[in-house]
Amino acid sequence: MVTDMATIAEEFNRVIGVDTHKATHTAAIVHRNGAHQYTLTIAATPVGYAELFAHVDSEPGTRIWALEGCGSWGRGLFRWLDERGERVVEVERPKRPKRRMGIKDDASDALRCAREALTVRHAATPRADGKRDSIAALFAVRKLALAAAGDAERQMLSLANVAPEVIAEKLRGLSTLMTARTCAAARPANYRDASIRRYALAMQSVARRAIALRAESVMLEQELTTAIKEWRPDLLAQDGVGPIVAAVVLSAWSHPGRIRSEGAFAMLSGTAPIPASSGQTQRHRLNRQGDRQLNWALHVTAMWRMRSDERTRGYVERRRTEGKTDREIRRCLKRYIAREFFNLLEKPLEQSLDDL
């Protein structure tokens, strides 16, 4: 795995920076000293990937690919290259200077992408395909289903608040779930008044939508649990870890070796303090960067352990006697949990299960 600029400069003769889009990709081939060789735009299809590869492969020397958007528009190219054993790193979208008249140029972006790959201290390895992608997809769709269900329920309750009395009297005092079930089971055709019938039909439609979305989220969570048990059941066995927390952690971690150390994993999760020293002053500040979803998963685990785990509760009481606030204690716990999860996942599954 590439770890720093010197490694890239010494090991590879060329860097191919790729600015990815939905329909086309633009690649800039750059010598390891930063000199631009040429630029090529290809279709974002396997035929286009093969065309780009043929151009690059016709020249001697070692190479490395620096892609933007390996989790979105660049995913197809990454998979194609990975299947052929090519070395690929992921770069963030380069910081673009202000352009006169708002002009944007894909060739310049690709060139900047390649040169930025030469200057970053640690190049990121793209997340793995297969199990990781399927878990991330299930998690994302479940999250959207829950959000849509909440929207539908709020719309239903809003309609119930101003419903005609003949409808409102049947819903008064009911919980959200019972309101949805009552509205879904209603028979709008029984109302003689056309306006009331249509109002009841609208409430029935939104209630059935909310119920269907809730059922969909449950189904997706069950499938998510099954997928995680097949891949890393040892993570689910940890205190305070359910399928949702496990899905977030596995999606961020991806595969052994992608993240170089537990310190890097802590930095990714936003639980490692950021150095903020100046002159003779040595200090750190709170890290508000990184993967906030992963940070949330560590927070959920820490909160659960503070309530339910005896060992953690003892630790909390000990730190309180030292003058630490609950917020500071939670931050310490999240850092410890990040280390625990990383060390667990980097082990082979068989060894991890033996340690349980």
Side-chain angles (χ1 to χ4, degrees), residues 241-282:
V241 178
I244 306 307
V245 167
V248 173
V249 173
L250 288 170
S251 296
W253 170 76
S254 178
H255 60 276
R258 187 181 87 87
I259 301 172
R260 64 185 181 276
S261 66
E262 62 90 10
F265 186 72
M267 187 63 73
L268 173 66
S269 65
T271 58
I274 300 174
S277 303
S278 178
Q280 295 181 349
T281 304
Q282 301 294 322

Side-chain angles (χ1 to χ4, degrees), residues 10-116:
E10 292 173 2
E11 185 176 353
F12 301 99
N13 298 111
R14 290 172 296 151
V15 178
I16 302 98
V18 186
D19 182 35
T20 60
H21 296 281
K22 181 178 181 180
T24 63
H25 296 335
T26 299
I29 290 76
V30 174
H31 190 268
R32 62 185 176 188
N33 64 8
H36 179 214
Q37 295 181 324
Y38 62 91
T39 299
L40 183 67
T41 297
I42 50 98
T45 64
V47 173
Y49 306 155
E51 178 188 348
L52 172 60
F53 186 78
H55 276 276
V56 173
D57 199 41
S58 64
E59 300 178 9
T62 56
R63 58 182 176 261
I64 187 168
W65 302 74
L67 272 59
E68 290 183 1
C70 285
S72 53
W73 300 131
R75 195 63 175 172
L77 177 57
F78 164 66
R79 287 170 175 159
W80 197 93
L81 293 170
D82 189 54
E83 288 172 358
R84 286 154 182 80
E86 292 292 300
R87 296 290 295 275
V88 181
V89 295
E90 183 175 16
V91 295
E92 296 182 1
R93 295 203 175 274
K95 297 180 177 64
R96 298 183 175 100
K98 293 182 179 179
R99 298 179 176 87
R100 187 175 181 181
M101 304 299 291
I103 296 172
K104 180 185 182 302
D105 180 62
D106 292 343
S108 298
D109 288 345
L111 180 58
R112 193 176 295 112
C113 179
R115 286 174 174 165
E116 187 161 313

